[in-house]
Amino acid sequence: MKKASLPMTPWGQSYRIAFFSLYGATLLAAMAWLFSSFHQITPDSQAVIFRFGKPVGVEHSGVLFAWPKPVDRVEVIPGPARILQHDVLPLQRSEQLKGLSPAQYYTDAGAGAGYLLTGDSGVVQLNMQIFYRIKDPLRYVLQRPHIDALIDRLSQRAATRVCAGRDLDTILVARPETLRNDSHAAQERSRLRTDLKQMIALDLQKLSGSDNDPGIAIERVDIASSLPDNAVAAFNAVLTASQQAEQNIAQAKNDATLRQQKAQQQADRLIQQAEANSSEMHARAEIATQTIIKLAQARADGSNPGMLQRIWREKISSVLSRAGQVITINPGNNSKVILSGPDSQASQSSSTQLFGGIP
């Protein structure tokens, strides 16, 4: 015969409910603790396993099993092929001004914040971006809280040294009018990023193998150089003046070329006219002297002895036709013959002109 069960009191029912609730929560916690041992690692990531706080291994993409906390701890970091970017904020003027008090803002500290001194006593602003990848995951995880500060310090040191060893035109194009005449400065500008990368990589190499090794490798350095705001306006004014001067010089050269062409055309025209007049005068002179030249040749070789008399007879008629009065005198005696010409009023002056005033 079955023993009759005693009726459960309210307190007993409460204990029973509490026991089963605690038992179920314990089972759920155990299952959650068990399933927390599985971790999914993406292809572009890797995981560092810590056992009781000590790094013991690195696992790459896939499903990872590790003991739940507090035995193991898994920290997921970017993979070795993934490129990380870091902006060097301490080089920016806005960031440096944040660390100054209101009283320092208007002092030399505020005026020089964010500027780097160049080799020719100029100033320039550099905005740098560092691209790196993880080379040693274990060292990266240990130094992870300090890597950004380390990159900032190394970048500031490299930027200060590189700018101090160059003049302003080898860092950025401050004077475009000299660009085409200074190929060396253009080559130095293209080498600026390479020099910054090599300098930062050399400083990281010095830390390699030590407790401060961050376990990273520099892949690329990008920079954006600029001038201070007040200097930009001054350089723009100089550039505008230079361009205006070049424009005025070009216009003056064009005007000079046009004037030279006009002067050359006028000179050519004058030369052509002079040559034509010279040819005409030469032809007239040849015609005027042809008779006397033939007479001289005839008298020299004696070929035509009567040429002088013939020429005299040909010319005397035209001479006498123009005279107002002609007086002929016989050299053997004092007799003379007076012939009136067409202009009797000018006879005295004509006779005086022809015979030198002989009566």
Side-chain angles (χ1 to χ4, degrees):
M1 186 175 179
K2 293 183 179 181
K3 187 177 180 180
S5 59
L6 296 174
M8 186 174 294
T9 64
W11 283 104
Q13 292 178 358
S14 299
Y15 291 147
R16 182 183 179 88
I17 294 173
F19 172 77
F20 283 109
S21 299
L22 181 60
Y23 181 75
T26 303
L27 289 178
L28 292 176
M31 293 179 63
W33 183 78
L34 182 62
F35 281 108
S36 65
S37 301
F38 295 94
H39 305 271
Q40 179 67 34
I41 309 302
T42 59
D44 61 342
S45 302
Q46 56 187 341
V48 178
I49 304 172
F50 291 84
R51 183 160 296 166
F52 299 108
K54 179 181 179 180
V56 294
V58 179
E59 296 293 337
H60 298 283
S61 61
V63 179
L64 170 65
F65 174 80
W67 291 104
K69 295 179 180 181
V71 179
D72 289 345
R73 178 171 62 89
V74 178
E75 186 168 346
V76 180
I77 60 176
R82 185 175 172 184
I83 303 299
L84 305 178
Q85 176 182 345
H86 174 74
D87 294 333
V88 185
L89 298 180
L91 283 176
Q92 299 180 7
R93 177 173 172 80
S94 59
E95 294 295 327
Q96 293 188 10
L97 290 176
K98 291 180 181 178
L100 300 178
S101 63
Q104 294 176 332
Y105 190 85
Y106 298 100
T107 61
D108 292 340
Y115 300 144
L116 295 173
L117 187 65
T118 62
D120 57 349
S121 300
V123 291
V124 66
Q125 293 177 339
L126 287 184
N127 293 328
M128 295 179 59
Q129 291 180 335
I130 309 299
F131 296 86
Y132 64 94
R133 61 179 179 84
I134 299 174
K135 180 179 64 174
D136 190 336
L138 296 179
R139 295 187 180 276
Y140 174 81
V141 171
L142 294 176
Q143 298 294 332
R144 191 173 188 177
H146 312 290
I147 288 180
D148 290 344
L150 175 64
I151 294 177
D152 289 340
R153 289 195 297 270
L154 296 181
S155 300
Q156 286 180 290
R157 178 176 182 270
T160 302
R161 294 182 59 185
V162 168
C163 291
R166 285 174 165 83
D167 56 18
L168 190 60
D169 283 323
T170 57
I171 298 175
L172 77 165
V173 184
R175 290 177 285 270
E177 67 275 6
T178 63
L179 180 61
R180 57 180 176 268
N181 299 325
D182 194 353
S183 59
H184 177 70
Q187 295 176 358
E188 289 295 328
R189 277 189 292 272
S190 64
R191 290 175 49 189
L192 181 60
R193 295 177 177 84
T194 303
D195 292 346
L196 287 171
K197 174 188 172 182
Q198 291 178 352
M199 194 168 296
I200 297 174
L202 182 61
D203 291 336
L204 288 175
Q205 186 177 359
K206 295 178 181 179
L207 298 175
S208 179
S210 65
D211 295 336
N212 297 323
D213 185 5
I216 61 175
I218 302 298
E219 293 294 325
R220 191 175 80 250
V221 176
D222 287 351
I223 60 172
S225 55
S226 60
L227 291 169
D229 295 337
N230 53 354
V232 172
F235 274 102
N236 289 338
V238 173
L239 180 59
T240 302
S242 301
Q243 293 175 349
Q244 185 64 35
E246 292 178 357
Q247 183 178 359
N248 294 337
I249 292 173
Q251 184 64 34
K253 288 182 179 180
N254 292 335
D255 295 342
T257 302
L258 292 176
R259 291 186 179 182
Q260 184 178 4
Q261 291 176 353
K262 292 181 180 179
Q264 187 65 37
Q265 293 175 357
Q266 186 176 1
D268 294 340
R269 184 167 58 253
L270 293 176
I271 292 174
Q272 291 176 358
Q273 292 177 357
E275 290 177 351
N277 295 335
S278 175
S279 299
E280 184 178 357
M281 292 178 65
H282 182 71
R284 290 179 180 177
E286 287 182 350
I287 294 173
T289 58
Q290 185 176 9
T291 302
I292 196 66
I293 291 175
K294 290 181 178 179
L295 178 61
Q297 292 178 352
R299 291 177 62 87
D301 53 17
S303 59
N304 194 353
M307 178 179 290
L308 179 60
Q309 296 295 331
R310 185 170 63 254
I311 292 174
W312 186 84
R313 287 193 296 269
E314 292 176 354
K315 299 297 182 181
I316 192 61
S317 60
S318 61
V319 172
L320 293 177
S321 63
R322 297 178 182 178
Q325 185 179 11
V326 179
I327 300 174
T328 61
I329 299 174
N330 187 4
N333 52 29
N334 293 330
S335 61
K336 55 184 179 181
V337 178
I338 300 175
L339 300 176
S340 299
D343 189 5
S344 59
Q345 295 179 357
S347 60
Q348 185 65 30
S349 61
S350 300
S351 62
T352 303
Q353 292 176 359
L354 289 173
F355 299 101
I358 298 176

